[in-house]
Amino acid sequence: MEQVTYDFSMGSGLSVQKILNLIQVTSLFDSDVYIIKNEKAYNLKSVLGVMNLFFTTNRNQTFTVSIKGEDAEYALKEITRFIHYHQ
């Protein structure tokens, strides 16, 4: 089982639709996908957790995405692509 991490910041923030799209992207993978802020992990496949995180976040904060599972590398590639496209 593979684990990868990726640090990023959201310059312009995410709209509700973009957050839902991000959740949809992460749900395509078997791997566990978490976003970490201030040492607290949020399941990126959970609408409530992710909405709570992004609505209480200021712009330009740094996050860590942690992915663990068989398809972790591919999941990281797709999630990174999504984040870069929507910044």
Side-chain angles (χ1 to χ4, degrees):
M1 192 169 299
E2 188 170 3
Q3 181 169 355
V4 294
T5 59
Y6 170 69
D7 294 326
F8 73 97
S9 63
M10 293 304 297
S12 61
L14 288 175
S15 67
V16 171
Q17 186 59 48
K18 289 178 185 175
I19 293 169
L20 293 174
N21 290 344
L22 177 59
I23 293 166
Q24 185 177 13
V25 168
T26 60
S27 68
L28 299 173
F29 306 104
D30 293 328
S31 294
D32 296 324
V33 183
Y34 290 90
I35 188 165
I36 302 165
K37 176 187 160 199
N38 299 331
E39 298 182 20
K40 185 170 182 182
Y42 300 85
N43 185 340
L44 258 176
K45 296 180 181 182
S46 166
V47 173
L48 292 177
V50 175
M51 291 289 198
N52 182 43
L53 168 67
F54 284 113
F55 286 140
T56 61
T57 298
N58 298 321
R59 290 183 176 183
N60 296 318
Q61 275 193 294
T62 300
F63 302 93
T64 301
V65 173
S66 176
I67 308 167
K68 185 175 183 178
E70 298 297 325
D71 58 357
E73 284 290 332
Y74 182 63
L76 176 64
K77 179 180 173 184
E78 294 303 312
I79 291 166
T80 302
R81 183 185 327 218
F82 180 90
I83 291 168
H84 283 291
Y85 181 76
H86 292 286
Q87 283 189 337

